[in-house]
Amino acid sequence: MRKLSILAAFAVLLTACSEKIEVQTRNMDRICLVVDGMLTDEPDHLQTVRLTESIDYDSQETPPAVSGARVTISDGAETVLLTESPSGSGCYVAPAGYHGETGKQYTLSVEASVGGKPHVCQAVASMPEMGFEVEAVDYMYAGDTSLQLDSLA
């Protein structure tokens, strides 16, 4: 009898998970600029920024590349122009050997034409110092009756 009850409960669980859910998404009513990039502190790492146009959420196509843009990275003292490579790819590359330095603040600037309209955008970020410092550690322990412990003190 117990095996029959377990089998019946298992069958109910399997049938309860069969409902199909349709997620309603709306189509994009405008085209946006999508910027994807990362600046590292590794001199051997190629620093790149990829520009594409937005597409509908459920689209199976590859987003169109944004070509012919002006992409720069500045640390306040030096501004570096990224070049599109290969041409028409939407992939913009910093000069060989260029890399970020920890503790500095960087500004990424992009001027591009998307959907026939000019777009100008900037993003500012700081490259954090390596490692981290722990100021304090909080510890809570509910206790273990077999060990007769209730705190670290």
Side-chain angles (χ1 to χ4, degrees):
M1 182 67 179
R2 180 177 166 93
K3 287 183 182 181
L4 185 59
S5 298
I6 293 173
L7 185 59
F10 188 68
V12 168
L13 287 176
L14 286 179
T15 58
C17 296
S18 64
E19 182 180 342
K20 186 175 180 180
I21 298 173
E22 292 290 330
V23 177
Q24 297 296 323
T25 60
R26 62 181 179 91
N27 290 335
M28 297 287 295
D29 53 354
R30 66 174 195 249
I31 298 173
C32 298
L33 175 64
V34 178
V35 180
D36 178 24
M38 181 172 60
L39 178 64
T40 72
D41 61 350
E42 300 172 13
D44 297 335
H45 182 66
L46 194 60
Q47 313 299 327
T48 60
V49 174
R50 185 171 160 237
L51 303 179
T52 59
E53 293 180 357
S54 59
I55 58 173
D56 290 336
Y57 176 76
D58 57 354
S59 176
Q60 298 298 317
E61 64 187 55
T62 302
V66 174
S67 186
R70 177 176 166 78
V71 180
T72 61
I73 299 174
S74 175
D75 64 4
E78 175 186 20
T79 300
V80 175
L81 178 66
L82 282 70
T83 55
E84 189 175 12
S85 177
S87 183
S89 67
C91 186
Y92 296 81
V93 182
Y98 180 78
H99 63 281
E101 295 178 32
T102 57
K104 285 191 173 182
Q105 181 172 309
Y106 292 90
T107 302
L108 172 68
S109 300
V110 177
E111 299 173 20
S113 178
V114 178
K117 296 180 182 176
H119 281 61
V120 178
C121 59
Q122 286 188 335
V124 179
S126 295
M127 186 168 288
E129 296 288 335
M130 297 300 291
F132 59 92
E133 180 180 326
V134 177
E135 292 180 15
V137 175
D138 288 334
Y139 184 82
M140 289 180 57
Y141 186 71
D144 185 335
T145 55
S146 66
L147 297 175
Q148 301 298 318
L149 297 174
D150 61 0
S151 73
L152 290 177

